[in-house]
Amino acid sequence: MSAHPAPALSEPARDLKDHNIVPETVVPGILYEKRPARTPDGAVVPGLFNAWITLDNPAQFNSYTTEMVKGTILAFRAASNARDVVAVVFTGAGDKAFCTGGNTKEYAEYYAGNPQEYRQYMRLFNDMVSAILGCDKPVICRVNGMRIGGGQEIGMACDFSVAQDLARFGQAGPKHGSAPIGGATDFLPVMLGCEMAMVSGSLCEPWSAHKAYRLGMITDIVPALKLDGRFVPNPTVVTDRWLDEFGKIVHGEPRTGEEAAAGREALKRGTVDLSLLDARVEELCAKILLTFPDCFTKTIEELRKPKIEAWNANKENSRAWLALNMMTEARAGFRAFNEGSRDDREIDFVGLRQALAAGTPWTDDLTESLMPKARGAAK
């Protein structure tokens, strides 16, 4: 029996208005579930819930299709309007990825070379980010795996991020034909400062969860790898020391040499268990439960403002640029990622720069010359 019985109403509830734009809709690739809210001691609270929104496309690392973007918007609106929801947990299916951004197969096969269509798609993407930033309930990103590209952007739109420590964080746009202007260039300077934002946003070198935690990008981390029945920290990154011999911070950086090889072997021997991640997410939800709801909402509305102001200032011109870019670099980059092998998914960057330096216009011939298959044919 619950220690928190539902309070008796002083008068019968009136017929309540439904503030959702459309009736509740099930969209393939998006799971929406209400889970019972719990107190810090684990007791179920009658009549109150946390809304779990799950990106359910694990075969493609939870990359979002156009339909999934629509479903995410509807899910956040439903959670925001639900009177009985305390908090929103935004996550991905499985243990490999929270989200790796837009579905590159769809990008390459439909949107590449189609700027007018991509412009409409970016309207939906912008509305998805705004739905997260404008949710009337606090949003916790449960980072169950890598958070890359557009996945990193929608993750940073959340209020809190709790990650399993095998997860990686970062952008991929400049390596694959895009710019991270779907939120990253707005949020990173606010969250990290200008220099680290420049590093994270432009170089496309993913950070470990430990580094993201150290630099203030995420709220908390927990171990997920079990070896011989016990949890251990991510063995592929430095977690047992803070500085190197020269005083440089190395905590959270990739291990190298023999340490890196040993870490990879440990990953192969271990098993991934996300029970500590779920427990930490529930713990955070329980802390939110024990606050005044309107006061908490007003607090997060104010704390969101630096991100929202940057986002609103740039999202429309970003949308226009991204659409036009589908005729040039994005067309080449997304095709290369989609058509290349697992180990060769990038264009010929040097060849592109040399061609542009010589004044070569963007043509189909130039695009084809940059593809991984062109390198294979030349060998």
Side-chain angles (χ1 to χ4, degrees):
M1 184 174 179
S2 170
H4 295 271
L9 297 176
S10 57
E11 60 182 55
R14 297 172 296 168
D15 290 336
L16 300 175
K17 297 288 186 183
D18 181 357
H19 297 114
N20 290 306
I21 294 175
V22 297
E24 186 172 323
T25 304
V26 177
V27 176
I30 299 296
L31 305 179
Y32 180 84
E33 176 188 8
K34 284 184 179 180
R35 299 188 184 183
R38 296 177 182 272
T39 59
D41 62 2
V44 171
V45 180
L48 294 178
F49 303 89
N50 297 311
W52 282 58
I53 300 172
T54 304
L55 300 168
D56 186 27
N57 185 17
Q60 295 177 310
F61 297 103
N62 294 322
S63 60
Y64 42 76
T65 63
T66 303
E67 292 305 309
M68 288 172 65
V69 172
K70 295 178 188 178
T72 302
I73 296 168
L74 293 175
F76 269 95
R77 286 194 63 89
S80 183
N81 286 331
R83 299 172 180 85
D84 54 2
V85 165
V86 175
V88 178
V89 178
F90 191 25
T91 191
D95 59 22
K96 297 294 188 294
F98 162 67
C99 179
T100 54
N103 188 275
T104 52
K105 179 176 173 62
E106 186 179 62
Y107 282 6
E109 296 179 359
Y110 183 76
Y111 290 116
N114 236 341
Q116 70 283 359
E117 292 295 303
Y118 196 66
R119 185 182 179 93
Q120 297 308 311
Y121 166 84
M122 282 306 301
R123 167 67 71 213
L124 291 171
F125 176 87
N126 286 357
D127 288 349
M128 174 171 65
V129 175
S130 294
I132 299 168
L133 289 167
C135 185
D136 283 344
K137 309 297 163 55
V139 182
I140 301 166
C141 185
R142 173 186 175 271
V143 189
N144 55 300
M146 59 180 155
R147 198 172 86 174
I148 301 293
Q152 168 76 324
E153 291 175 318
I154 59 176
M156 288 191 294
C158 300
D159 302 307
F160 304 92
S161 293
V162 181
Q164 59 109 326
D165 79 340
L166 301 177
R168 296 185 300 159
F169 299 77
Q171 298 306 137
K175 281 282 190 182
H176 297 293
S178 189
I181 54 178
T185 52
D186 304 307
F187 306 149
L188 285 171
V190 173
M191 300 172 77
L192 299 175
C194 291
E195 290 277 338
M196 285 296 101
M198 195 68 71
V199 171
S200 178
S202 66
L203 297 182
C204 303
E205 296 174 346
W207 290 356
S208 72
H210 287 271
K211 183 171 183 175
Y213 176 57
R214 167 165 61 83
L215 293 177
M217 181 183 281
I218 60 177
T219 306
D220 205 356
I221 54 175
V222 295
L225 186 68
K226 266 190 170 179
L227 279 173
D228 301 322
R230 68 182 185 89
F231 284 102
V232 297
N234 185 340
T236 66
V237 301
V238 177
T239 57
D240 55 355
R241 58 188 183 276
W242 189 252
L243 304 175
D244 67 9
E245 58 183 311
F246 303 110
K248 182 179 178 180
I249 297 173
V250 294
H251 190 276
E253 299 295 341
R255 293 188 184 274
T256 59
E258 293 182 359
E259 286 188 352
R264 290 191 294 269
E265 286 301 314
L267 279 180
K268 292 178 182 177
R269 292 189 291 111
T271 57
V272 176
D273 181 337
L274 300 185
S275 59
L276 294 183
L277 177 63
D278 289 336
R280 192 60 54 89
V281 168
E282 286 290 345
E283 179 184 331
L284 182 52
C285 289
K287 289 181 179 181
I288 294 169
L289 172 70
L290 300 183
T291 62
F292 281 105
D294 280 352
C295 292
F296 197 95
T297 297
K298 181 58 178 173
T299 300
I300 62 174
E301 285 176 346
E302 294 300 315
L303 291 170
R304 287 169 176 170
K305 280 185 177 179
K307 288 197 289 187
I308 291 174
E309 287 170 357
W311 169 246
N312 286 339
N314 299 313
K315 64 183 182 182
E316 284 305 310
N317 59 58
S318 294
R319 171 179 171 240
W321 184 90
L322 287 167
L324 292 174
N325 187 52
M326 272 295 179
M327 291 301 295
T328 55
E329 294 186 357
R331 185 182 185 187
F334 292 133
R335 276 194 52 202
F337 189 89
N338 189 51
E339 297 171 15
S341 66
R342 181 175 180 178
D343 299 321
D344 189 9
R345 289 183 164 179
E346 296 177 356
I347 68 154
D348 179 358
F349 295 118
V350 174
L352 171 61
R353 288 178 178 272
Q354 289 173 330
L356 296 178
T360 306
W362 274 98
T363 62
D364 289 345
D365 287 344
L366 175 59
T367 298
E368 294 301 328
S369 73
L370 303 171
M371 294 293 107
K373 63 184 179 184
R375 290 195 292 277
K379 291 180 181 178

